[in-house]
Structure formats: C-alpha cells, structure tokens
Amino acid sequence: QVKLQQSGPGLVKPSQTLSLTCAISGDSVSSNSAAWNWLRQSPSRGLEWLGRTYYRSKWYSDYPVSLRSRITINPDTSKNQFSLQLNSVTPEDTAVYYCAGGLNWFDPWGQGTLVTVSS
Amino acid sequence: SYELTQSPSVSVSPGQTASITCSGDNLGDKYICWYQQKPGQSPVLVIYQDNKRPSGIPERFSGSNSGNSATLTISGTQALDEADYYCQAWDSSTWVFGGGTKLTVL
C-alpha cells in the first residue's frame, strides 16, 4: 500500500519561496510506471493541479502553463521523496497543498498542508 | 481553457440513488475520474477511466461518460456518502477539475 507523508512550513512571507516535501512509502519515486504530483485547493480557485515529476529512463517534469515560470517539482531518490518549490508567492497562493501519486488519476493523496502566505 | 461544470449541490434520501453530473465540451472523448472529499480530509478516488472502481470502493459507486456530460451514480446512498464530489479530466496538457458538488443525505 502506497502512502504519502507531507512536510513543510505552514507560513510563508510574500515574495518568498514555498517549499514542501512528500515522502513515499510502498513505492519508488523512480518507478517507471508512476508519476508524482502536487495539487492545491482553495475556496477561490478550487482544486488545481500544480505539476508532476516522473521517471521513464530519464526524469521528466510537467507543469501547467499558468505556473511554469515559478514552480519546480524535483525528485530526491536518496530519500525516496519529491518536493515542490513555488517562487515569488503572494496571498493568492494561500491554499491547502497536497501531494498525490498517479499518472492518469490521483491515488493516493498526502494528508494536506495548509500554507498561508502572509507577512 | 477547458472547463468542467458541476451543480453546487445535490440532495438525496437515504437508500435512494444520487446522480452527480459533470459537463464539458465533448467530455465523452476524454476519460473522467471522480473524487470524494469529506470535511477536513484529503480527496479519495472513487471512479477512474469513466467507470472503474478502485479496490475498496463500494459497488454502489458507478460512473458513465458520453456526449458532453459524465455522471457519478451512487445507488442505495448511505449517510456516510455525504461529501463533496469532484470530477477531473485531462485537456491541453493539464488536469482540470470541476468546481465540486456537495452531496447531502437527508
């Protein structure tokens, strides 16, 4: 059974970088059949997919166009985890952030992290 | 950008059938997933590839997708099915979610 455990700060100042980590148990971040995603949820924006990383003989990352300039999702094979970095945050980035496994659907999900952008 | 539209709320009596719809242009040409989210919890996948149930999801959950709409059907709805439900599809290299439907069992 695959489980995902998120970690990271719940408060980030405007213009700074939001960083979260998702530790994987029961699967490998380097699996040739998996993909590892970040999503977020807020009352104003609903559920929003932020991007994914996956390994198919080499590493790939996909991001929606709207976030491509300020987001990075990286694998960490030594710790079997993956991370999210979102640069230049504003209060609009306040949301519950989730990691999730899956290429064509999302299962399982991490426990969620409320990240507030405020000075 | 592609949009998925859901009714904000649906009410159903216990034991009856609940139908939750998701609409979008030519939605039947895409695969749809459905997620259940209870207050304070992470979403849970209940249907993938239009009509397949992950292991552990009760048989009362079923799905269909054709034309411009997809439907999540819950037969014999129980009080524990009260939750928000979200549809999801892939379009133009991104995952798109519907706005969610709050299912009330009363």
Side-chain angles (χ1 to χ4, degrees):
Chain A
Q1 183 184 6
V2 181
K3 292 187 177 181
L4 303 177
Q5 180 68 38
Q6 300 176 216
S7 59
L11 181 64
V12 182
K13 288 181 167 49
S15 80
Q16 296 193 342
T17 297
L18 182 160
S19 296
L20 296 173
T21 300
C22 183
I24 303 165
S25 58
D27 202 346
S28 171
V29 71
S30 305
S31 165
N32 268 295
S33 59
W36 306 102
N37 303 266
W38 286 99
L39 304 96
R40 67 183 177 183
Q41 185 175 30
S42 65
S44 60
R45 304 170 76 97
L47 274 167
E48 182 181 11
W49 178 69
L50 304 180
R52 65 186 176 189
T53 188
Y54 55 98
Y55 185 76
R56 301 290 186 271
S57 303
K58 68 175 186 177
W59 287 102
Y60 295 87
S61 293
D62 298 328
Y63 310 112
V65 171
S66 59
L67 291 170
R68 203 163 287 167
S69 63
R70 28 181 216 118
I71 191 170
T72 304
I73 296 175
N74 281 327
D76 182 346
T77 58
S78 66
K79 295 181 179 178
N80 200 34
Q81 63 187 28
F82 61 107
S83 64
L84 167 69
Q85 286 197 308
L86 185 63
N87 303 324
S88 306
V89 297
T90 71
E92 286 289 303
D93 294 309
T94 294
V96 177
Y97 285 74
Y98 295 99
C99 60
L103 183 62
N104 296 310
W105 51 84
F106 302 129
D107 181 45
W109 294 59
Q111 80 274 24
T113 302
L114 174 59
V115 178
T116 301
V117 179
S118 174
S119 54
Chain B
S1 60
Y2 193 78
E3 291 188 1
L4 293 175
T5 302
Q6 298 181 240
S7 298
S9 62
V10 168
S11 297
V12 64
S13 300
Q16 299 303 302
T17 296
S19 295
I20 297 170
T21 59
C22 174
S23 62
D25 289 343
N26 299 311
L27 190 55
D29 294 338
K30 309 177 188 299
Y31 275 133
I32 279 285
C33 302
W34 290 93
Y35 298 88
Q36 176 193 69
Q37 186 178 33
K38 297 181 179 180
Q41 298 184 17
S42 304
V44 173
L45 179 71
V46 294
I47 293 288
Y48 66 98
Q49 289 185 342
D50 292 344
N51 54 23
K52 296 179 172 58
R53 277 179 296 104
S55 61
I57 300 301
E59 289 184 9
R60 64 179 181 274
F61 287 87
S62 63
S64 63
N65 182 22
S66 67
N68 293 318
S69 68
T71 301
L72 173 68
T73 302
I74 309 172
S75 304
T77 306
Q78 300 181 10
L80 56 83
D81 298 328
E82 187 164 285
D84 294 328
Y85 291 86
Y86 297 90
C87 57
Q88 174 213 323
W90 177 261
D91 183 83
S92 301
S93 302
T94 193
W95 289 108
V96 179
F97 288 89
T101 297
K102 181 175 182 59
L103 177 67
T104 301
V105 182
L106 42 69

